[in-house]
Amino acid sequence: MIFTTYKNTLRWIMIVASFVIVSLILWNTYVFFQNFKAEERSKMAIWAQAQKELSKSTDLNQDIGELSIEILQSNKTTPMIIVNQDGSFDSNNITEEKSRDTLYINKLISRFQSEYEPIEVIYNNEVLSTIYYGNSALLNKLKYYPLALLLIIILFSAVVYFFYRSNKNASQNKLWSGMAKETAHQIGTPLSSLIGWAEILKAEDVNPSYIVEIEKDVDRLKTITERFSKIGSVPSLEIADIVEETTDSFDYLKVRSSSLVHFEMNTPDQKIPVYLNRQLYSWAIENLVKNAIDAMKGRGKLIIDIVELENTVKVRVKDSGKGILKKDYTKIFEPGYTTKQRGWGLGLSLTKRIIEDFHNGKIKVLHSEMGKGTTIQISLKRA
């Protein structure tokens, strides 16, 4: 127990540490991106100053300094459009073909304005030109890097979630298997003794009706033992008529339930072959019927419908009980969930395991209305 607690604690520490590390990388990338943009702005301000010096030298017929020329020639990455005073424009770091497309240039100017504030080249209080510039190719790649990291976080979270869920399911499966096998083993010993006592009572000339009832209970205990032994391992499936198997389980419970419960069953006239494990399937039906009777508090109407489709068959158990809230439609199949004061919350989770894990079927709450009842549906493929 201590080792398990330590293992779980260590696992959560590793998960939290991983999230912290990825979050720090994401934050540092964002800061780096913002600093890069600031440097890009500063570089363009210097380039604009060099452009201004170029304009001055042209107006005054002066030679431009080597430094200004060096600055103007050094920027080979930042795409920019220089709109002159007369409305003409020049481009830099934009392909010649695209720079001749006026529509493209106008769209590019609008995009550049959204990325950076344009820089005006002013001389003698007169705007000589306006420089529109955008992110360099490297900066555009870095812009999507945080999104890639965010995607990594999401994928990492999904992996952690599925790992945790599969680990939890594996632990539950081990618990189910161990509990089922132990229960079957525990029942086996007194069952063998009861069979022996029944044979002794036959020799003692006891009322035969007593022996018949004892043998019925012994057979019932045998069925329960077989159920637990099968659910503790992978059960074998064989072709069986689902109509007959459902009817047998229904009839068994009908004569042993309250007379205040009105039972009704609607089935097709023909047989419907399905791959079943008879003992486990009857257990699932009994669990659903008993749960429905409990929901009606021993008084109401219970209907089982078998609906035949082309490739599947639907078994619907409908009661007139208190109903289920929509938010609890899936929760009622979880181990330990119960609304009964003395319930264990194992019946419906066991039924779900029998139908979905052992028979590759589906079980769900088809419909429920508070105060009017619930319909639970089992879906199985036809053989």
Side-chain angles (χ1 to χ4, degrees):
M1 181 66 181
I2 295 175
F3 176 75
T4 303
T5 304
Y6 173 77
K7 188 177 179 181
N8 289 333
T9 303
L10 184 62
R11 182 187 301 139
W12 279 110
I13 289 174
M14 291 177 64
I15 292 171
V16 172
S18 300
F19 272 111
V20 170
I21 291 171
V22 174
S23 299
L24 287 174
I25 293 174
L26 190 63
W27 171 252
N28 283 325
T29 304
Y30 173 78
V31 172
F32 174 74
F33 180 76
Q34 295 302 319
N35 290 337
F36 206 135
K37 286 191 71 173
E39 287 190 11
E40 193 83 357
R41 175 76 179 177
S42 176
K43 183 172 69 173
M44 284 303 303
I46 295 173
W47 196 93
Q49 187 62 33
Q51 183 72 15
K52 177 180 177 181
E53 293 296 325
L54 176 63
S55 300
K56 285 169 57 180
S57 65
T58 303
D59 292 341
L60 300 175
N61 295 319
Q62 296 176 354
D63 293 333
I64 185 172
E66 292 184 4
L67 179 60
S68 297
I69 295 175
E70 187 71 25
I71 291 172
L72 291 172
Q73 292 179 345
S74 65
N75 193 329
K76 300 181 182 298
T77 58
T78 306
M80 64 185 81
I81 300 169
I82 303 99
V83 179
N84 299 313
Q85 191 177 27
D86 57 1
S88 63
F89 66 87
D90 300 309
S91 63
N92 195 18
N93 299 321
I94 298 173
T95 60
E96 185 177 349
E97 182 182 353
K98 290 182 177 179
S99 63
R100 289 199 297 265
D101 188 343
T102 307
L103 184 62
Y104 174 79
I105 292 295
N106 288 330
K107 287 182 179 179
L108 208 57
I109 289 174
S110 297
R111 197 188 83 189
F112 288 169
Q113 281 181 301
S114 66
E115 292 177 356
Y116 295 95
E117 184 180 347
I119 297 176
E120 294 180 336
V121 178
I122 301 174
Y123 180 65
N124 288 335
N125 296 323
E126 185 180 359
V127 177
L128 301 179
S129 60
T130 304
I131 302 172
Y132 299 92
Y133 66 100
N135 293 327
S136 63
L138 177 60
L139 203 56
N140 279 327
K141 290 179 181 178
L142 284 174
K143 183 170 63 175
Y144 296 107
Y145 187 66
L147 295 178
L149 280 178
L150 190 61
L151 181 61
I152 291 172
I153 291 177
I154 293 172
L155 292 175
F156 178 74
S157 302
V159 169
V160 170
Y161 170 75
F162 285 116
F163 170 77
Y164 177 76
R165 186 173 180 179
S166 61
N167 188 53
K168 184 179 179 181
N169 289 338
S171 300
Q172 289 178 353
N173 290 339
K174 288 180 182 179
L175 178 62
W176 275 115
S177 299
M179 185 181 71
K181 289 178 180 178
E182 180 62 22
T183 302
H185 176 72
Q186 293 292 338
I187 294 176
T189 303
L191 181 59
S192 300
S193 179
L194 284 173
I195 293 172
W197 280 110
E199 293 300 323
I200 292 173
L201 289 174
K202 286 180 183 178
E204 294 293 330
D205 196 25
V206 177
N207 188 334
S209 63
Y210 298 163
I211 305 296
V212 170
E213 292 303 319
I214 291 175
E215 287 179 339
K216 285 182 181 179
D217 289 334
V218 168
D219 289 339
R220 179 64 177 170
L221 286 172
K222 284 181 180 179
T223 300
I224 293 172
T225 304
E226 288 180 8
R227 288 174 175 176
F228 275 103
S229 63
K230 290 180 185 298
I231 204 169
S233 57
V234 179
S236 59
L237 304 179
E238 57 187 24
I239 295 179
D241 178 18
I242 193 171
V243 176
E244 180 183 352
E245 297 301 324
T246 307
T247 302
D248 289 345
S249 300
F250 181 80
D251 291 341
Y252 175 83
L253 291 168
K254 183 177 179 180
V255 298
R256 288 165 175 78
S257 301
S258 170
S259 59
L260 298 176
V261 177
H262 174 68
F263 287 84
E264 181 182 324
M265 188 166 184
N266 304 308
T267 64
D269 296 330
Q270 69 277 10
K271 294 182 178 180
I272 305 177
V274 175
Y275 284 103
L276 288 179
N277 181 281
R278 288 181 170 87
Q279 289 83 2
L280 294 184
Y281 176 73
S282 65
W283 196 0
I285 294 298
E286 288 178 19
N287 281 340
L288 291 178
V289 171
K290 288 179 180 177
N291 193 72
I293 293 173
D294 289 341
M296 297 186 295
K297 296 183 179 179
R299 179 194 298 268
K301 187 175 184 179
L302 191 146
I303 304 172
I304 292 185
D305 293 323
I306 298 180
V307 180
E308 181 183 14
L309 301 179
E310 184 178 355
N311 298 317
T312 60
V313 57
K314 313 286 187 182
V315 180
R316 294 166 183 163
V317 180
K318 181 179 181 180
D319 64 63
S320 58
K322 59 184 179 181
I324 303 169
L325 294 172
K326 194 165 187 177
K327 65 182 181 67
D328 294 331
Y329 277 14
T330 56
K331 193 181 294 184
I332 62 171
F333 296 106
E334 295 177 1
Y337 179 83
T338 180
T339 57
K340 305 170 190 174
Q341 290 184 348
R342 298 183 179 180
W344 287 83
L346 297 178
L348 289 178
S349 63
L350 177 62
T351 303
K352 180 181 174 69
R353 178 176 169 84
I354 290 172
I355 297 301
E356 296 192 353
D357 294 352
F358 295 150
H359 289 85
N360 294 320
K362 293 291 182 183
I363 184 170
K364 65 177 182 179
V365 177
L366 184 64
H367 176 74
S368 186
E369 189 172 350
M370 299 304 295
K372 292 188 177 181
T374 300
T375 302
I376 294 181
Q377 175 178 278
I378 293 173
S379 302
L380 295 172
K381 291 182 180 180
R382 298 187 56 171

